[in-house]
Amino acid sequence: MSNIETLLKRATREVLPGSILNLGIGLPTQLLDYLPDNLDVLIHSENGVLGAWKQAPREQMNPALIDAAGAYISTVPGSSFFDSSVSFAMIRRSKIDLTMIGAFEVDQQGSLANWKIPGKFSPGIGGAMELAQKTPRIVVLMTHCDKQGRSKILRHCRLPVTAHHCVSRIITDLAVLDVTTNGLSVQELAEGVTPDYLRSVTDADLIFPEEVA
Amino acid sequence: MSNIETLLKRATREVLPGSILNLGIGLPTQLLDYLPDNLDVLIHSENGVLGAWKQAPREQMNPALIDAAGAYISTVPGSSFFDSSVSFAMIRRSKIDLTMIGAFEVDQQGSLANWKIPGKFSPGIGGAMELAQKTPRIVVLMTHCDKQGRSKILRHCRLPVTAHHCVSRIITDLAVLDVTTNGLSVQELAEGVTPDYLRSVTDADLIFPEEVA
Amino acid sequence: MIGGFGSPGTPFSLIDELLRQGQRQLTLIKNDANEAGIGISKLIEQGQVERLITTHIGLNKTAIEWMNAGRLQVEFHPQGMLAEKIRTAGAGSFGFLTDIGLDTEITRPEQLLNWQGQQYKVEMALKADVALLHAARADRFGNLVYDGSAMNFNPLMAMAADQVIVETPECLDPGALPPNQIHTACAFVDHLVVLPRLTSEYAVMEHHVKH
Amino acid sequence: MIGGFGSPGTPFSLIDELLRQGQRQLTLIKNDANEAGIGISKLIEQGQVERLITTHIGLNKTAIEWMNAGRLQVEFHPQGMLAEKIRTAGAGSFGFLTDIGLDTEITRPEQLLNWQGQQYKVEMALKADVALLHAARADRFGNLVYDGSAMNFNPLMAMAADQVIVETPECLDPGALPPNQIHTACAFVDHLVVLPRLTSEYAVMEHHVKH
């Protein structure tokens, strides 16, 4: 199993029965394939779907029914379609219990940067800002380091922030970290990752509770 | 035929095929009974109906389907139901071509007072203010004088105004008057009403075009 | 806040339960006051209502008497403004800029805003602790469908209250309601009360039938 | 303004007609820029678009190149803010008060309002001269029904433009659509174009199918 597969497997445990969740583009969308069928959740998609599910079988694909990432989804019984203003009313009224989202950077205050790299990447904000600012629980799924091996977890975000103090938990290929009032608390370490190694690749202050360290 | 019947008969001629109209409580609502069946209009009701029509036959009455006046209406083919925010979006976006409305007072600037008599009558504004302010064409249907014989057409409204400069035409039991930039122009006189008589019962300046005087 | 425009969409059974429980000093938000002896008028007549935020109570002489006697505070809004204030809360916004009633006595100076060279009236969002609503049909998840003119304020209020309680005579299995025919998505609904029967208050009112 | 979120709800045929007529210096309002070679990207690639008001164009590398080369002005809004700005125009209001992005770089000082002791961002209404929309079904009056996720911005834009032009593959007699299943009432629709067939742009896009 690759590190990403391990990360996604771990992330499935964040999904509580009876909840409404939104899966951002990137790693979170891939999570869908790891969720068991008949799971009692409703997946919200910004383009106006509550009850989105895995890709539809070929013969049932509806070209007029996609998720926000463009996949030809199926829907679960009890799903509903609505316009974009209602879709975001749902978000701003905090009716989404959990948003899993990708990130360029997260800092130890729980601030999230995931929409713009000035001069390099600025395709627009999409729905990220409202999801980040208004979802009660934000779990970031990302690789711990970027392709150059630099920590994506920082003392302070350097990129333009999507929302301040919004992230509850970060799940990376190396660890699971919770944002607490005292700082980043390491909840789990991936197999073979030591506290010293994690410290060495993380540009933020880490707290190791007794049971982890 | 009573004067009121004559007034209502005359008012039916205001209704143009292909138009959307709103009929206020009072005389305008009564107009419905004078309209021919199969008329090509859509009647808007503030409570969320486009395509309201006359009272439904007894066996087809739906207790969940009324107009804003409380009548158990039928609907025409092509009607639609929507929520109150959409209903008033339709009004504020001036999608209602014609509103027929009752009045306590109208003045020669076309200002309308129909929602409040301080100390005597103040049941609320309802939808009148938005209809008056935003319908492109407002036709007032009312008796020319109140029960004490005092003119309801004035130089300046004395009661709290519903909307300023909103009325296009006034149809009373005595005359049809248009609000023009020059003042109130008498378009028609009811049978037996002379210009002098109309002047004597109207507390506003009247213009009589040649063909009427 | 309580759904309904006149009788359609009024949650008469939930109102009866409120009457039974007897909470007092309530602030109610409803388009109208129903008519004397039915719906929220019962709550008013039993002295449970301190304040009513509404648009028009002309069909309820009892409520007007209570208001004139100073026993019921009433705050009137133009109907579309009330709808939009509730919808604004439901959309997670805080207020909106309008020109409705700008130059009439309903606008107070402190509501005026000059912005980018124009004058507007600021209408603030109106939310509630609880919404009591009526739907014609629902599914077990809480997806709602309204009938006829019973939609009115119900879908707006479903979005604008902290606790949303909906009564319905018909509760179906999830999937029974087509996804593009659902008027209120279940994300906005907290509690569903399935009514064993509809009382006479839900029926055609004889005095509104012309003969 | 042009309906659609990705392909669903995009009026591809009306866009093709705009391409044929060749109007230039257009300002487009659309959630996204479709993908290279289809939908509004064709208008961009033909140089007809001066300015695009949108939320995300990440799926269209061509549009990003045009933007980076300074040949296309792009104004980004958070998606729900774009929807709400359009909806505000559609409701006949002029702006709304929000806290979205209040403490981020998307908020400029001149958008801040202190009101009743709180700080808000004022988002102004966004209207258009023309809306081009796609509906799954319509009746001859112009009542509209959308399918699947093709609703998205369409019903909002129907309310917010001076001229509303809707394409649909299926036009029925009035009365064929049940009144409580209509998504956009005909009062908001000016012109209906009945499509004889749907081009390949309306079909499933192979590169979005996972195997």
Side-chain angles (χ1 to χ4, degrees):
Chain A
M1 205 156 48
S2 79
N3 292 345
I4 294 300
E5 278 180 292
T6 312
L7 186 168
L8 290 170
K9 275 246 165 188
R10 171 60 188 84
T12 60
R13 284 163 46 201
E14 301 293 317
V15 179
L16 302 179
S19 64
I20 294 177
L21 60 149
N22 184 294
L23 301 174
I25 294 179
L27 285 180
T29 314
Q30 293 179 43
L31 185 71
L32 202 51
D33 296 326
Y34 290 78
L35 295 176
D37 285 321
N38 300 316
L39 187 63
D40 174 26
V41 294
L42 287 173
I43 295 176
H44 172 269
S45 189
E46 297 94 295
N47 57 332
V49 181
L50 187 63
W53 195 236
K54 304 178 186 188
Q55 180 172 289
R58 187 71 203 208
E59 63 284 4
Q60 288 167 28
M61 279 182 191
N62 177 355
L65 179 55
I66 62 172
D67 66 12
Y72 295 101
I73 53 172
S74 58
T75 55
V76 300
S79 63
S80 53
F81 305 141
F82 32 82
D83 72 46
S84 296
S85 78
V86 171
S87 186
F88 278 84
M90 221 172 260
I91 292 170
R92 288 191 301 267
R93 289 283 292 138
S94 298
K95 302 299 179 185
I96 314 299
D97 301 304
L98 167 68
T99 289
M100 307 258 221
I101 204 162
F104 301 141
E105 295 177 355
V106 185
D107 70 24
Q108 61 194 39
Q109 291 78 38
S111 296
L112 168 75
N114 79 343
W115 74 278
K116 188 179 185 181
I117 302 174
K120 275 177 80 176
F121 177 88
S122 57
I125 310 163
M129 192 168 278
E130 285 153 297
L131 281 165
Q133 195 174 328
K134 294 295 180 182
T135 308
R137 186 170 171 82
I138 301 276
V139 174
V140 166
L141 307 188
M142 64 177 189
T143 56
H144 206 91
C145 300
D146 67 15
K147 283 171 186 165
Q148 286 73 41
R150 291 172 302 206
S151 174
K152 293 166 72 174
I153 300 178
L154 303 171
R155 279 182 189 79
H156 292 283
C157 282
R158 290 184 281 244
L159 294 172
V161 155
T162 311
H164 295 276
H165 316 304
C166 63
V167 175
S168 295
R169 176 166 283 188
I170 309 165
I171 302 180
T172 78
D173 46 333
L174 302 183
V176 176
L177 306 99
D178 276 359
V179 180
T180 73
T181 46
N182 297 322
L184 285 176
S185 172
V186 179
Q187 300 298 302
E188 298 168 29
L189 290 166
E191 211 182 305
V193 176
T194 63
D196 281 347
Y197 178 70
L198 194 71
R199 274 198 197 91
S200 73
V201 295
T202 307
D203 279 350
D205 304 317
L206 299 179
I207 300 164
F208 285 87
E210 258 179 52
E211 61 277 18
V212 179
Chain B
M1 205 154 53
S2 79
N3 293 344
I4 293 300
E5 279 179 291
T6 312
L7 186 168
L8 291 169
K9 274 244 163 187
R10 171 61 188 82
T12 60
R13 284 162 47 202
E14 300 295 315
V15 179
L16 302 179
S19 64
I20 294 177
L21 60 149
N22 184 293
L23 302 174
I25 294 180
L27 285 179
T29 315
Q30 293 179 41
L31 186 72
L32 201 52
D33 295 327
Y34 290 78
L35 294 176
D37 285 322
N38 300 314
L39 187 64
D40 174 25
V41 294
L42 288 173
I43 295 176
H44 172 269
S45 189
E46 299 94 296
N47 57 332
V49 181
L50 187 62
W53 196 238
K54 305 178 187 188
Q55 179 172 288
R58 187 68 202 211
E59 63 282 6
Q60 288 167 30
M61 278 182 190
N62 177 355
L65 179 55
I66 62 172
D67 65 13
Y72 295 101
I73 52 172
S74 58
T75 54
V76 301
S79 62
S80 53
F81 305 141
F82 32 81
D83 72 45
S84 296
S85 79
V86 171
S87 185
F88 279 84
M90 221 174 260
I91 293 170
R92 288 190 302 267
R93 291 282 292 137
S94 298
K95 302 299 181 187
I96 314 299
D97 300 304
L98 167 67
T99 289
M100 307 258 219
I101 203 163
F104 300 142
E105 295 176 355
V106 185
D107 69 24
Q108 61 193 38
Q109 291 79 40
S111 296
L112 169 74
N114 79 343
W115 74 278
K116 188 179 185 180
I117 303 175
K120 275 178 78 177
F121 177 89
S122 57
I125 311 165
M129 192 167 277
E130 286 154 296
L131 280 165
Q133 195 174 330
K134 295 295 181 182
T135 309
R137 185 172 172 81
I138 301 277
V139 174
V140 167
L141 306 188
M142 65 176 188
T143 56
H144 205 91
C145 300
D146 67 14
K147 283 171 187 165
Q148 285 73 41
R150 290 172 303 205
S151 174
K152 292 167 72 173
I153 301 179
L154 302 171
R155 281 183 187 80
H156 291 282
C157 283
R158 289 185 281 244
L159 294 172
V161 155
T162 312
H164 293 277
H165 315 305
C166 62
V167 176
S168 295
R169 176 167 282 187
I170 309 165
I171 301 179
T172 77
D173 46 335
L174 303 183
V176 175
L177 307 99
D178 276 0
V179 180
T180 73
T181 45
N182 297 320
L184 285 177
S185 172
V186 180
Q187 299 298 300
E188 298 168 29
L189 289 167
E191 212 183 304
V193 176
T194 63
D196 280 348
Y197 178 71
L198 194 72
R199 274 198 197 92
S200 73
V201 296
T202 307
D203 279 351
D205 304 317
L206 299 180
I207 300 162
F208 285 87
E210 260 178 51
E211 62 278 18
V212 179
Chain C
M1 34 183 70
I2 299 187
F5 184 123
S7 286
T10 302
F12 290 112
S13 304
L14 294 178
I15 291 168
D16 281 348
E17 177 60 17
L18 207 54
L19 204 71
R20 194 189 66 76
Q21 293 187 10
Q23 292 91 337
R24 302 181 77 81
Q25 295 186 287
L26 297 172
T27 294
L28 297 191
I29 303 168
K30 187 184 185 294
N31 176 66
D32 54 82
N34 289 118
E35 300 182 27
I38 70 160
I40 67 161
S41 193
K42 294 195 222 170
L43 295 169
I44 294 169
E45 293 162 28
Q46 196 164 286
Q48 291 179 247
V49 185
E50 184 171 289
R51 190 155 161 258
L52 174 64
I53 301 173
T54 188
T55 75
H56 199 280
I57 60 171
L59 287 179
N60 188 335
K61 282 184 187 167
T62 305
I64 291 177
E65 283 168 21
W66 277 66
M67 173 178 73
N68 290 340
R71 298 171 72 190
L72 174 69
Q73 301 169 37
V74 182
E75 181 182 316
F76 289 116
H77 294 276
Q79 197 168 103
M81 290 294 99
L82 184 68
E84 203 63 16
K85 285 164 83 77
I86 295 167
R87 197 256 164 216
T88 298
S93 298
F94 300 91
F96 64 98
L97 311 186
T98 186
D99 64 351
I100 296 299
L102 195 59
D103 57 356
T104 72
E105 68 161 46
I106 68 160
T107 300
R108 299 186 306 274
E110 66 267 25
Q111 296 176 309
L112 294 175
L113 171 69
N114 279 295
W115 192 256
Q116 298 178 355
Q118 287 285 326
Q119 188 169 63
Y120 302 105
K121 181 181 186 185
V122 181
E123 289 279 5
M124 296 304 283
L126 188 60
K127 64 195 292 287
D129 298 319
V130 179
L132 305 182
L133 310 178
H134 178 90
R137 275 177 300 288
D139 68 22
R140 274 189 293 104
F141 285 180
N143 291 301
L144 308 181
V145 171
Y146 310 101
D147 183 24
S149 68
M151 193 182 294
N152 56 67
F153 284 76
N154 280 295
L156 310 173
M157 290 176 169
M159 297 163 69
D162 292 337
Q163 285 290 318
V164 177
I165 308 173
V166 183
E167 57 160 61
T168 181
E170 191 177 357
C171 183
L172 307 164
D173 282 335
L177 302 171
N180 74 341
Q181 292 175 20
I182 287 168
H183 296 132
T184 293
C186 62
F188 294 114
V189 176
D190 297 295
H191 306 285
L192 209 56
V193 177
V194 184
L195 304 175
R197 69 187 173 287
L198 294 180
T199 62
S200 61
E201 285 178 307
Y202 297 91
V204 165
M205 296 160 82
E206 281 308 318
H207 61 282
H208 281 293
V209 177
K210 279 179 300 186
H211 292 285
Chain D
M1 34 183 71
I2 298 187
F5 184 123
S7 287
T10 302
F12 290 113
S13 303
L14 294 178
I15 291 167
D16 280 350
E17 177 58 20
L18 207 54
L19 204 71
R20 195 189 65 77
Q21 294 186 10
Q23 291 90 334
R24 301 183 76 81
Q25 294 187 286
L26 297 171
T27 295
L28 297 190
I29 303 168
K30 188 185 185 294
N31 176 66
D32 53 81
N34 289 119
E35 300 183 28
I38 71 159
I40 68 162
S41 194
K42 292 194 222 170
L43 295 169
I44 294 169
E45 292 162 29
Q46 196 166 283
Q48 291 179 246
V49 185
E50 186 171 287
R51 190 155 160 257
L52 175 64
I53 301 173
T54 188
T55 75
H56 199 278
I57 60 172
L59 287 179
N60 188 334
K61 282 185 186 166
T62 305
I64 291 176
E65 283 168 21
W66 277 66
M67 173 177 74
N68 290 341
R71 299 171 71 192
L72 174 69
Q73 302 169 36
V74 182
E75 181 183 316
F76 289 117
H77 294 275
Q79 198 167 104
M81 291 293 100
L82 184 67
E84 204 64 14
K85 285 164 83 76
I86 295 167
R87 197 255 165 216
T88 298
S93 298
F94 300 91
F96 64 98
L97 311 186
T98 185
D99 64 350
I100 296 299
L102 196 60
D103 58 355
T104 72
E105 69 161 46
I106 68 159
T107 301
R108 299 185 307 275
E110 67 269 23
Q111 296 175 309
L112 294 175
L113 171 68
N114 279 296
W115 192 256
Q116 298 177 353
Q118 287 285 325
Q119 188 169 63
Y120 303 105
K121 181 181 186 185
V122 181
E123 288 279 5
M124 295 306 282
L126 189 59
K127 64 195 294 286
D129 299 318
V130 180
L132 305 182
L133 310 179
H134 178 89
R137 272 177 303 288
D139 67 23
R140 276 188 293 105
F141 285 179
N143 290 302
L144 308 181
V145 172
Y146 310 100
D147 183 25
S149 69
M151 192 181 295
N152 55 65
F153 283 76
N154 281 296
L156 310 173
M157 290 176 170
M159 297 163 70
D162 292 336
Q163 286 289 318
V164 177
I165 308 173
V166 183
E167 58 161 60
T168 181
E170 190 177 357
C171 182
L172 306 164
D173 283 334
L177 303 170
N180 74 341
Q181 293 175 20
I182 287 168
H183 296 131
T184 293
C186 62
F188 294 114
V189 176
D190 297 295
H191 306 284
L192 209 57
V193 177
V194 185
L195 304 175
R197 66 187 175 288
L198 294 179
T199 63
S200 62
E201 284 177 306
Y202 297 91
V204 165
M205 295 161 83
E206 278 309 317
H207 62 281
H208 281 292
V209 177
K210 282 179 298 185
H211 293 283

